[in-house]
């Protein structure tokens, strides 16, 4: 009769992992993680317990064994695998459900001193004890965490939490930590816990991952929020909006102008130049891939020809001539008498021209930026219109739901 280990029947996904704890392990000293609250802990006699024998007696299950300086996954899919405690939540939450150890080790996990762990250090999260059972590890950024709990808001002193974080520098990222209470989150600067940034579930993944990757600081997040508030306060959609060129002169119907994309060498809009650690993927759209000036063009794509729709693009040429028209006190950009507007799609929509007046969801919002620039975004929403260079001589304008509002493309209006 073949051994049980050869059984290839599909295993059910178990919702509650089992963790066997040797009797010499003080469970209170093991770093806590979120998945512990949905796991079964079983203390075993270290002199008699064998993970291999236990696996043979449980042909359709997997389980973990906690050791003194590591923990081990026992599975019928592969030989026992030893992991570092710092990645325990990620292993239990992701690997346990999906059983994709081979794929994960080739991409996210590395082996250090014989133990597998995620390349990135986990983030330390402090959760209110009464809320912890409602939290779910839904994304990788949630999985790659270690947790501590506080039972009363009276004991939630940020300075004390910063001290705890600094004491775990070998287990987690130490330049910030996260505090959770219900649907509110705070990212706190460990060196100065008075600096904290508040965010919600919808932006949790992006916020924490950028902080963990070192692409932005807590203070920079606060500064961006203040900048956005000032933009919102000064660029409300007003019937008194007047379009002006780079010289401050009013642009009216009948005027023709080109839209210039400011280059990297421009000095008149350098509000971010003092940030030496700026994320290269977050460089505002006023920076192009060329030092020379680039221009906005409207071109007729082959597959759009039957409908006579042109798309807006970035170009190294002199660009197209645009105009302006006002309908019901709303200012619209035009091209050859057609309205510049957002294509009727959801998340990533190209910028096209059509003869019809844009509906509200297709309308482009024009706002002012520094240095006589205008910024483009979706009307009524903080959804920027950005430029993506698809090759060295051509870029495509489209809405970007995943980008922040301050990264809206910025252009100069130059009358011709």
């Amino acid at each position: 009769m073949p051994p049980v280990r050869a059984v290839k029947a599909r295993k059910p996904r178990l919702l509650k992992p089992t963790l066997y704890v040797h009797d010499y392990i003080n469970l209170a000293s093991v770093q806590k993680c979120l998945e512990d609250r949905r796991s079964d802990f079983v203390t075993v006699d270290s002199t008699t317990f064998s993970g291999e024998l236990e696996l043979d007696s449980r042909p359709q299950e997997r389980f973990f064994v906690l050791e003194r300086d590591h923990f081990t996954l026992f599975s019928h899919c592969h030989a026992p695998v030893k992991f570092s405690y710092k990645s325990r939540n990620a292993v239990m939450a992701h690997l346990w459900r999906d059983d994709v150890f081979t794929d994960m080790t080739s991409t996210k996990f590395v082996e250090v001193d014989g133990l597998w762990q995620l390349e990135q250090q986990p983030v330390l999260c402090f959760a209110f004890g009464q809320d912890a059972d409602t939290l779910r590890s839904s994304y990788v950024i949630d999985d790659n965490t270690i947790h501590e709990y506080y039972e009363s808001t009276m004991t939630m002193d940020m300075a004390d939490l910063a001290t705890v974080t600094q004491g775990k520098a070998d287990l987690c990222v130490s330049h910030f930590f996260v505090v959770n209470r219900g649907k509110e989150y705070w990212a706190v600067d460990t060196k100065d816990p008075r600096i904290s940034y508040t965010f919600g579930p919808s932006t949790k993944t992006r916020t924490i991952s950028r902080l963990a990757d070192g692409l932005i600081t807590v203070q920079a997040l606060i500064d961006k929020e203040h900048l956005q508030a000032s933009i919102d306060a000064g660029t409300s959609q007003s019937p008194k909006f007047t379009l002006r060129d780079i010289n401050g002169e009013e642009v009216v119907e009948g005027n023709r102008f080109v839209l210039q994309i400011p280059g990297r060498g421009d000095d008149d809009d350098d509000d971010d130049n003092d940030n030496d650690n700026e994320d290269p993927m977050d460089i505002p759209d006023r920076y192009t891939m060329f030092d020379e000036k680039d221009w906005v063009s409207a071109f007729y794509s082959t597959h759009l020809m039957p409908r006579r729709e042109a798309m807006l693009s970035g170009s190294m040429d002199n660009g197209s001539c645009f105009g302006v028209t006002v309908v019901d006190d709303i200012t619209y950009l035009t091209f050859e008498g057609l309205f510049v507007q957002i294509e009727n799609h959801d998340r990533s929509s190209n910028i096209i021209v059509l003869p019809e007046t844009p509906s509200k969801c297709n309308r482009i919002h024009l706002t002012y930026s520094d240095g006589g620039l205008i910024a483009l975004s979706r009307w009524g929403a903080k959804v920027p219109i950005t430029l993506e260079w698809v090759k060295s001589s051509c870029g495509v304008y489209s809405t970007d739901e995943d980008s922040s509002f301050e990264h809206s493309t910025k252009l100069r209006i130059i009358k011709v």
Side-chain angles (χ1 to χ4, degrees):
M1 182 175 179
V4 176
R5 189 178 297 273
V7 174
K8 295 184 179 180
R10 184 177 179 85
K11 298 177 294 300
R13 290 192 177 188
L14 303 179
L15 298 180
K16 295 190 70 174
T18 298
L19 293 93
Y20 290 104
V21 185
H22 284 292
D23 52 14
Y24 57 78
I25 299 292
N26 178 9
L27 196 56
S29 66
V30 175
Q31 175 58 54
K32 292 179 283 293
C33 68
L34 191 58
E35 286 294 317
D36 287 345
R37 305 180 77 90
R38 291 181 287 278
S39 303
D40 288 329
F41 290 83
V42 179
T43 301
V44 295
D45 186 341
S46 58
T47 62
T48 59
F49 178 81
S50 168
E52 288 80 3
L53 292 178
E54 184 68 18
L55 185 64
D56 286 337
S57 68
R58 303 171 64 174
Q60 291 187 326
E61 294 187 27
R62 289 164 284 168
F63 55 85
F64 299 94
V65 176
L66 302 189
E67 310 283 354
R68 181 168 281 111
D69 58 354
H70 67 275
F71 70 102
T72 304
L73 169 67
F74 285 86
S75 169
H76 290 283
C77 298
H78 44 69
V81 185
K82 297 180 180 180
F83 291 93
S84 166
Y85 270 116
K86 66 174 63 178
S87 298
R88 188 163 66 90
N89 198 74
V91 174
M92 292 173 61
H94 189 85
L95 179 60
W96 179 264
R97 290 194 299 264
D98 298 333
D99 196 19
V100 288
F101 171 72
T102 301
D103 292 338
M104 291 187 68
T105 52
S106 66
T107 54
K108 304 170 186 176
F109 279 77
V110 293
E111 190 175 18
V112 179
D113 297 330
L115 303 180
W116 289 96
Q117 64 184 54
L118 282 171
E119 291 181 303
Q120 187 184 74
Q121 290 277 78
V123 174
L124 175 56
C125 296
F126 294 89
F128 189 56
Q130 296 180 16
D131 296 335
D133 287 335
T134 66
L135 301 176
R136 291 291 181 268
S137 298
S138 303
Y139 304 97
V140 172
I141 191 61
D142 298 309
D143 295 341
N144 192 21
T145 56
I146 58 176
H147 268 71
E148 294 291 342
Y149 302 97
Y150 60 93
E151 302 303 328
S152 169
T153 55
M154 299 297 292
T155 63
M156 193 179 67
D157 185 281
M158 295 298 185
D160 291 342
L161 302 187
T163 300
V164 173
T165 304
Q166 291 170 338
K168 296 180 180 291
D170 59 331
L171 286 176
C172 62
V173 294
S174 58
H175 59 280
F176 82 102
F177 58 91
V178 173
V179 178
N180 168 246
R181 178 67 172 94
K183 293 185 177 181
E184 280 194 299
Y185 293 83
W186 295 269
V188 185
D189 189 307
T190 306
K191 291 184 177 179
D192 187 351
R194 295 171 299 178
I195 301 174
S196 65
Y197 175 74
T198 305
F199 55 99
S202 63
T203 58
K204 177 180 64 172
T205 298
R206 176 176 171 82
T207 299
I208 295 178
S209 62
R210 285 166 54 77
L211 286 167
D213 288 336
L215 300 178
I216 199 166
T217 64
V218 177
Q219 184 61 58
L221 284 171
I222 297 171
D223 293 342
K224 285 193 173 187
E225 187 174 76
H226 290 167
L227 173 62
Q228 183 58 56
S230 66
I231 291 174
D232 291 344
T235 59
S236 58
Q237 297 159 352
S238 168
K240 297 181 180 180
F241 178 85
T242 300
L243 195 64
R244 299 183 181 277
D245 66 6
I246 60 172
N247 297 316
E249 298 179 359
E250 185 176 356
V251 178
V252 298
E253 294 189 53
N255 291 154
R256 299 173 74 241
F257 54 86
V258 292
L259 297 172
Q260 184 188 72
I261 306 170
R264 187 182 300 272
D266 293 324
D267 296 324
D268 55 356
D269 188 29
D270 59 352
D271 52 306
D272 288 328
N273 286 352
D274 58 347
N275 188 356
D276 294 333
N277 297 318
E278 188 171 36
D279 176 10
M281 299 302 294
D282 262 353
I283 295 176
D285 287 295
R286 65 177 179 275
Y287 297 136
T288 71
M289 62 190 301
F290 308 105
D291 288 341
E292 298 82 6
K293 300 297 187 293
D294 301 306
W295 308 86
V296 179
S297 296
F299 73 97
Y300 291 96
S301 178
T302 303
H303 75 281
L304 296 176
M305 284 295 286
R307 293 184 293 166
R308 185 79 179 149
E309 293 177 6
M311 296 176 59
L312 256 62
S313 68
S315 171
M316 294 180 64
D317 301 325
N318 289 332
S320 303
C321 284
F322 294 88
V324 63
T325 188
V326 179
V327 179
D328 296 332
D329 291 326
I330 297 176
T331 301
Y332 297 95
L333 295 178
T334 61
F335 169 72
E336 295 184 353
L338 308 178
F339 290 90
V340 178
Q341 55 192 282
I342 299 172
E343 196 173 16
N344 193 23
H345 291 300
D346 293 328
R347 294 192 62 80
S348 181
S349 303
N350 292 327
I351 310 306
I352 61 175
V353 296
L354 289 174
E356 299 84 9
T357 304
S359 63
K360 186 174 181 179
C361 64
N362 302 114
R363 197 179 295 160
I364 293 177
H365 187 189
L366 307 175
T367 57
Y368 286 114
S369 182
D370 295 336
L373 306 180
I374 60 166
L376 309 183
S377 61
R378 185 189 291 274
W379 184 274
K382 297 177 181 179
V383 178
I385 293 173
T386 60
L387 172 64
E388 179 181 0
W389 291 97
V390 294
K391 57 182 181 178
S392 61
S393 60
C394 181
V396 175
Y397 281 100
S398 63
T399 58
D400 186 354
E401 297 276 353
D402 297 321
S403 187
S404 52
F405 183 76
E406 65 267 21
H407 295 156
S408 301
T409 189
K410 298 173 179 66
L411 304 167
R412 286 193 178 101
I413 295 179
I414 302 176
K415 289 183 182 178
V416 295

